[in-house]
Amino acid sequence: PPPPTPEKNIPYIIDTEVPQIIGGLNIEYPEMARDNGVEGTVYVQVYVDEKGRPKNCQVKKGVPNTGLDEAAVKAIQKAKFRPGRERDVNVGVNIVIPVVFKLNK
């Protein structure tokens, strides 16, 4: 017999909220990078636990040897988050946050 086929027209509702930063990021632009006109975006993966605490920050794509990577991680580690939620329950979630460094010229 043929394999069973999935039921048609059964709604699948995704009831998940990703963690959100509360109050923005407090980013300190590294002096060396600012003095040298270095700009860029650092992508940091972070695990936000069920209480909204950032854990295990890792740079996934950065701007090495400029201080931007370290500044991005530091800002995220200090940030406050509203935790992720799955069906009205707080859950820990891995997310990637882009941290943009742009000089005002």
Side-chain angles (χ1 to χ4, degrees):
T5 58
E7 298 280 345
K8 300 246 191 259
N9 300 323
I10 296 179
Y12 178 72
I13 298 169
I14 297 174
D15 186 21
T16 304
E17 293 177 37
V18 297
Q20 298 292 320
I21 296 172
I22 300 169
L25 288 176
N26 184 14
I27 302 166
E28 294 180 30
Y29 214 113
E31 192 174 327
M32 181 183 73
R34 186 178 21 203
D35 291 348
N36 289 301
V38 177
E39 298 181 331
T41 301
V42 179
Y43 295 87
V44 180
Q45 180 176 307
V46 59
Y47 177 77
V48 179
D49 73 12
E50 65 280 351
K51 293 188 178 181
R53 296 177 297 211
K55 311 271 185 180
N56 303 331
C57 291
Q58 295 181 326
V59 174
K60 287 300 183 185
K61 182 178 177 194
V63 187
N65 306 314
T66 61
L68 298 185
D69 293 1
E70 294 80 3
V73 167
K74 187 175 177 183
I76 290 172
Q77 287 173 331
K78 290 181 174 180
K80 296 194 182 336
F81 289 83
R82 187 180 76 222
R85 293 179 62 77
E86 177 76 43
R87 300 184 187 276
D88 297 327
V89 176
N90 289 355
V91 293
V93 180
N94 272 310
I95 58 173
V96 175
I97 300 172
V99 181
V100 178
F101 291 88
K102 186 150 180 61
L103 293 166
N104 297 325
K105 296 178 182 175

